[in-house]
Amino acid sequence: MDELEKLRKHWEDDNFQRKHALAREIVVNRLRELNREYEEKTGQGFVRFIETRMKTPESIAEKLQRKDYDVDFDTAVTALNDISGVRCICYLSLIHISEPTRQAEIS
């Protein structure tokens, strides 16, 4: 089995996928909550749309190769910080929403 096949096998593991799906869901729910709170205070929300994604094993392998890392699962999850993510497109400048987010992290 080559390195990409090994990486794909780990990547497609149900437990691994569930953990990342849950983490993305937590972030999306928090963004929606912050958007509702902001809308209640200002009359308008800041979220235009939210999308989530998980990189494919092929894109992970390519990125590891570009960075001259070993192409394996352990390296991918320790060396890369963008294997799974949430994109939030906003109507307003992030300066406006960074303060409510920072306050939410403190409380």
Side-chain angles (χ1 to χ4, degrees):
M1 183 181 310
D2 73 358
E3 293 305 314
L4 180 57
E5 288 178 35
K6 290 178 188 175
L7 178 64
R8 186 179 292 115
K9 184 176 187 234
H10 284 288
W11 218 255
E12 293 171 354
D13 176 71
D14 286 342
N15 190 41
F16 178 75
Q17 288 292 324
R18 272 194 301 273
K19 285 180 183 178
H20 279 267
L22 178 60
R24 292 189 307 267
E25 183 180 338
I26 289 168
V27 172
V28 167
N29 288 340
R30 184 63 180 134
L31 285 167
R32 288 181 176 149
E33 180 182 327
L34 288 170
N35 189 58
R36 276 191 299 275
E37 291 172 8
Y38 190 82
E39 189 170 7
E40 287 173 6
K41 290 179 184 177
T42 67
Q44 64 182 22
F46 61 84
V47 173
R48 183 170 178 201
F49 74 90
I50 299 171
E51 65 182 10
T52 65
R53 64 133 174 99
M54 181 83 161
K55 280 194 172 189
T56 65
E58 292 77 14
S59 67
I60 290 296
E62 289 171 12
K63 187 165 191 174
L64 289 169
Q65 289 169 342
R66 273 196 321 269
K67 292 181 170 271
D68 202 28
Y69 291 131
D70 291 335
V71 177
D72 63 57
F73 180 77
D74 291 333
T75 303
V77 297
T78 57
L80 303 179
N81 61 6
D82 64 342
I83 59 175
S84 180
V86 175
R87 175 179 292 153
C88 178
I89 305 299
C90 302
Y91 288 110
L92 303 174
S93 166
L94 288 177
I95 295 168
H96 295 289
I97 63 170
S98 64
E99 189 58 32
T101 304
R102 191 174 302 118
Q103 288 175 359
E105 290 172 356
I106 294 170
S107 55

